[in-house]
Amino acid sequence: MRFRCAVLDDFQNVARAYADWSALGDRVEVVSFTGHFATEDELAAALADFDFVVTLRERVPFPASLLNRLSRLKLLIASGMRNSVIDYTAAKAGGVTVCGTQSSSAPPLELTWALLLGLARGIVQENNALRDGGPWQSTVGADLDGRTLGLLGLGKIGSRVAQVGLAFGMKVTAWSQNLSQERADEVGVERAATKEELLATSDFASVHLALGDRTRGLIGAPELALLKPTAYLINTSRAAIVDQDALLAALNEGRIAGAGVDVFDVEPLPGDHPMRTAPRLLATPHLGYVSRANYERYYGQAVEDIQAYLDGTPIRVLG
């Protein structure tokens, strides 16, 4: 029997270039979808004839309502080893094995600093002016040395962001609901007593928290109002942690200097979404995990997951 494998959201059409799918031989036909399916009905129709599905991060939810419609599905592979939008109970009930892959924290760390530096030094504005015959030097850069970097979250990514900030000569503070003084001392940063203290004292505030009940909507209008008018907010974590409407209002009204955002409530972002035209915003289309090394890891291990499943010994099983 020949199986069919769907690779979702392969926007750059590179999934087959970053792994040796030939290792599966003639047992599996691989089909990449370079567009995004916006509705569950579209997704159910597209995946009806597939045995295996590879999905990127948490962009595509797999609730019970969808899984129950995919009678042929046997194996669902998610990039990363944690996925909050898959109904594992429904998958198990339907005989669907869910597997993951390893993921590196380096790409989102690097993108965090790309956004922060891009904002601080007006890189996009200055580049556009240079190319379009605009003014020679139209912005005045915001300094990093001696300024305060406030981190919401000091986990695997947040702690590495902290190390870079310290290398730039920044004062680094951190806060999260579970952050201990011992952890702050271990990383070499100051521990803010409260979320409010961290925001009020930061020149750059960066979000590095997992999304959950306690962090959803953690940064809303009252929290954004605590930021200095000269402060910048960076979010490469999860969109729902920061109230998107409140952030748009703060940007449109000039209440903060700017924001760098890589995550959105709806992805891909609709063409008429106000985030696409908001002032003082440096935005990227969820590139945090998009790097050569990460893709090689995701798709290479997806092939391994399929091989192991076909051999009757699934690996990296989730749920």
Side-chain angles (χ1 to χ4, degrees):
M1 177 180 177
R2 192 180 193 206
F3 298 94
R4 302 189 76 217
C5 175
V7 180
L8 297 179
D9 291 333
D10 185 13
F11 298 119
Q12 305 98 331
N13 197 22
V14 296
R16 280 174 286 186
Y18 285 106
D20 183 13
W21 297 86
S22 67
L24 301 175
D26 294 331
R27 295 180 294 174
V28 181
E29 175 192 2
V30 179
V31 178
S32 283
F33 290 96
T34 57
H36 180 72
F37 297 106
T39 69
E40 184 176 303
D41 286 343
E42 292 175 351
L43 193 59
L47 298 181
D49 295 328
F50 286 91
D51 307 280
F52 310 147
V53 173
V54 178
T55 181
L56 271 178
R57 306 304 297 154
E58 296 172 321
R59 176 173 287 113
V60 180
F62 279 84
S65 56
L66 174 59
L67 290 166
N68 292 339
R69 299 167 71 177
L70 302 177
S71 58
R72 186 167 162 174
L73 183 63
K74 301 175 179 64
L75 175 65
L76 176 60
I77 299 172
S79 57
M81 291 301 292
R82 181 174 59 187
N83 192 301
S84 63
V85 297
I86 295 174
D87 188 326
Y88 296 105
T89 301
K92 183 177 181 180
V96 178
T97 300
V98 183
C99 296
T101 72
Q102 294 175 341
S103 181
S104 171
S105 61
L109 156 71
E110 293 164 2
L111 184 69
T112 295
W113 280 101
L115 290 172
L116 194 154
L117 289 166
L119 283 167
R121 301 308 297 267
I123 297 299
V124 174
Q125 182 177 338
E126 295 289 3
N127 176 70
N128 289 342
L130 187 147
R131 289 178 174 273
D132 298 337
W136 184 262
Q137 298 181 354
S138 62
T139 64
V140 177
D143 296 283
L144 273 60
D145 184 40
R147 300 304 190 269
T148 298
L149 170 64
L151 302 176
L152 292 131
L154 198 62
K156 184 166 58 174
I157 296 176
S159 60
R160 296 187 67 182
V161 172
Q163 292 168 0
V164 178
L166 292 169
F168 274 119
M170 304 183 79
K171 174 185 176 182
V172 182
T173 63
W175 173 89
S176 74
Q177 289 149 326
N178 298 322
L179 181 61
S180 67
Q181 186 63 53
E182 290 74 18
R183 173 60 177 166
D185 292 342
E186 177 186 350
V187 179
V189 305
E190 295 187 17
R191 176 179 172 270
T194 65
K195 170 183 63 176
E196 290 74 16
E197 176 188 312
L198 180 131
L199 293 170
T201 57
S202 293
D203 297 296
F204 300 87
S206 191
V207 180
H208 302 287
L209 294 164
L211 179 61
D213 292 339
R214 294 197 302 170
T215 58
R216 188 178 300 276
L218 187 72
I219 307 298
E223 289 77 18
L224 290 170
L226 296 171
L227 290 169
K228 305 173 187 177
T230 54
Y232 298 87
L233 178 71
I234 313 295
N235 187 10
T236 57
S237 183
R238 290 291 183 268
I241 295 173
V242 179
D243 184 306
Q244 192 161 264
D245 291 337
L247 178 58
L248 279 168
L251 292 169
N252 285 318
E253 295 167 14
R255 288 189 273 111
I256 60 175
V261 174
D262 186 49
V263 288
F264 307 92
D265 287 345
V266 180
E267 297 183 9
L269 204 60
D272 60 351
H273 196 284
M275 276 286 188
R276 288 185 177 266
T277 54
R280 305 174 185 86
L281 178 67
L282 179 56
T284 47
H286 206 151
L287 298 179
Y289 63 88
V290 181
S291 76
R292 180 181 296 272
N294 241 8
Y295 271 12
E296 289 173 346
R297 185 177 293 106
Y298 288 166
Y299 295 123
Q301 292 189 6
V303 173
E304 294 174 1
D305 288 348
I306 294 171
Q307 286 178 305
Y309 176 84
L310 292 175
D311 292 340
T313 54
I315 56 175
R316 292 186 284 265
V317 176
L318 303 181

